[in-house]
Amino acid sequence: MPRLGDPKTLPKANYAATHELLRAYLLVRYRQSGMKTRVLNVTRQTALEKANIHNKNSRMATTTLRKALDRLVAEGTLERFTPVLPTRLHETFEVVLAEKAVHALPAEAPSPDG
């Protein structure tokens, strides 16, 4: 079996980045919701847990969460999210998944001739 690539260029296998964990959670939530709407409401506590953010300082936790959300917007997973993130664990904020992130194109479209 050939190598995946130069070992120095491969990401570490012992962890996933915060934004990757958050992306996975949001896409699972979208599928669990029946894929009816791209708008999801997420509690601060759930977002922090799913993104593996364990900052003791709540202001730093908010900053880390905002950076992860900003990165998901930049990568095209999210269209937008609530500009002011909640400060209490039980409060919710809204994220809107990008259309291209949730509507995957088929791998091979059938030809019109059959």
Side-chain angles (χ1 to χ4, degrees):
M1 177 172 231
R3 286 184 169 210
L4 295 173
D6 181 19
K8 293 177 185 175
T9 62
L10 296 175
K12 291 187 178 182
N14 63 345
Y15 75 94
T18 301
H19 71 282
E20 293 168 345
L21 293 169
L22 193 56
R23 177 191 310 116
Y25 168 70
L26 293 173
L27 292 176
V28 166
R29 271 283 307 276
Y30 171 72
R31 289 186 180 146
Q32 289 175 341
S33 71
M35 301 187 288
K36 295 177 184 170
T37 178
R38 294 182 292 123
V39 179
L40 300 174
N41 288 311
V42 183
T43 64
R44 175 186 169 88
Q45 180 175 6
T46 301
L48 293 175
E49 287 173 4
K50 298 299 182 180
N52 202 23
I53 299 171
H54 297 290
N55 301 41
K56 290 182 181 179
N57 182 323
S58 73
R59 189 176 299 166
M60 288 304 296
T62 302
T63 301
T64 304
L65 179 59
R66 179 173 301 284
K67 285 180 182 179
L69 291 167
D70 284 338
R71 183 139 183 204
L72 292 177
V73 169
E75 290 180 352
T77 302
L78 295 180
E79 256 180 41
R80 65 183 181 280
F81 60 93
T82 305
V84 178
L85 295 176
T87 55
R88 297 178 190 230
L89 290 177
H90 67 278
E91 294 177 336
T92 63
F93 63 97
E94 184 178 273
V95 298
V96 180
L97 295 168
E99 200 169 325
K100 72 175 191 170
V102 297
H103 296 294
L105 296 173
E108 184 175 305
S111 66
D113 299 330

